[in-house]
Amino acid sequence: MITRRSLILAGGAMLLLPTALHAQGAEIGTAARPLKIGVTAGPHGQVMEKVRDIAARDGLVIRIIEFSDYIQPNMALASGDLDANSFQTQPFLDQQVRDRGLKLVSVAKTLTFPMGIYSKRLKSTDALPQGGRIAIPNDPTQGGRGLMLFAQAGVIKLPPKADVSVTVADIVENPKRLRIMELEAAQLPRALDDVDAAAINTNYAITAGLQPTRDAIAIEGANSPHSNRIVVRQGDEEKPWVKKLVSAYQNDEVKDFVAKTFAGSVIPGF
């Protein structure tokens, strides 16, 4: 008997149809068996819609499934509910593979979203008050990335060789005795009413109506190493549909779309 399963996500519910619902033995990327690719809502979803249109010209049929957090897209891919996802940086993927034992691999670079520090109260990080409150993402690597951005702004000091695995416990100096809140990445824009400043991923900043090049009081440089990736399950790297997907994404039309849509706040990494 054919059944349906639901995948409950933070902030809502989404229905994913399991593989059993597809035509028996149908090739991935066809009308009978669309390529299911997971993205986070916002810029990743917008760009993937453009990629879907380009891929269709090459006969690749894509179904886009949006998620509201950073954990479920990898779990859904690992379990077979997705064929690929496009939302995460390589350091984040590496951490997820180590921590959760996922057999996932990246196959292509996509976009770079420079993380920014935002504030509704302050015009610069220098204005952070003694005992003020700042916020960073609470997920692996992105929290460390936020701390590194605050350190680059001179707000705190981290060990000399700190990388994205750094945590609040690793802070060497906090001269203003700032209180650091670790929150779900998607909630950080809403937290700006309650904190003095927050390090926010660009995809969530844009979704909240923030313009990184205009509104951020500090931002990563264009040479940020945090390029996002298309990710698939181990063993699928050389599949024909993967090559078609990468070709559709790493396309000049996508570069033009990104430039016109995001005005420099999102940078093609290919």
Side-chain angles (χ1 to χ4, degrees), residues 14-26:
M14 182 180 299
L15 185 67
L16 294 182
L17 304 183
T19 304
L21 285 179
H22 295 293
Q24 186 70 27

Side-chain angles (χ1 to χ4, degrees), residues 128-134 155-156 171 173-180 196:
L128 280 165
Q130 287 286 336
R133 293 196 295 178
I134 61 175
V155 174
I156 58 174
I171 294 174
E173 294 180 16
N174 182 3
K176 292 190 175 182
R177 299 185 180 277
L178 298 171
R179 291 169 289 172
I180 302 172
D196 294 292

Side-chain angles (χ1 to χ4, degrees), residues 48-66:
M48 190 55 65
E49 289 174 0
K50 182 67 175 178
V51 173
R52 178 183 58 194
D53 294 342
I54 295 171
R57 301 176 203 158
D58 197 22
L60 184 67
V61 180
I62 294 176
R63 176 182 298 162
I64 301 169
I65 301 169
E66 290 192 347

Side-chain angles (χ1 to χ4, degrees), residues 120-243:
K120 287 188 175 181
R121 308 172 185 178
L122 311 174
K123 298 298 183 182
S124 73
T125 54
D126 291 340
L128 280 165
Q130 287 286 336
R133 293 196 295 178
I134 61 175
I136 60 173
N138 68 353
D139 47 83
T141 74
Q142 297 303 303
R145 187 178 173 187
L147 289 173
M148 291 176 70
L149 184 54
F150 274 110
Q152 290 166 16
V155 174
I156 58 174
K157 186 174 181 180
L158 298 173
K161 295 184 179 180
D163 57 21
V164 291
S165 65
V166 72
T167 69
V168 173
D170 297 315
I171 294 174
V172 175
E173 294 180 16
N174 182 3
K176 292 190 175 182
R177 299 185 180 277
L178 298 171
R179 291 169 289 172
I180 302 172
M181 302 176 63
E182 299 176 83
L183 305 173
E184 184 179 347
Q187 305 303 318
L188 287 166
R190 287 195 285 272
L192 288 176
D193 289 328
D194 303 312
V195 300
D196 294 292
I200 303 176
N201 296 85
T202 289
N203 56 314
Y204 289 127
I206 291 175
T207 302
L210 297 167
Q211 174 56 261
T213 54
R214 180 195 66 208
D215 299 323
I217 60 175
I219 195 167
E220 290 176 335
N223 61 345
S224 168
H226 300 284
S227 177
N228 286 263
R229 307 298 177 111
I230 293 173
V231 175
V232 301
R233 286 185 294 278
Q234 286 182 9
D236 284 348
E237 300 96 315
E238 300 300 323
K239 295 289 180 65
W241 60 264
V242 174
K243 297 182 184 300

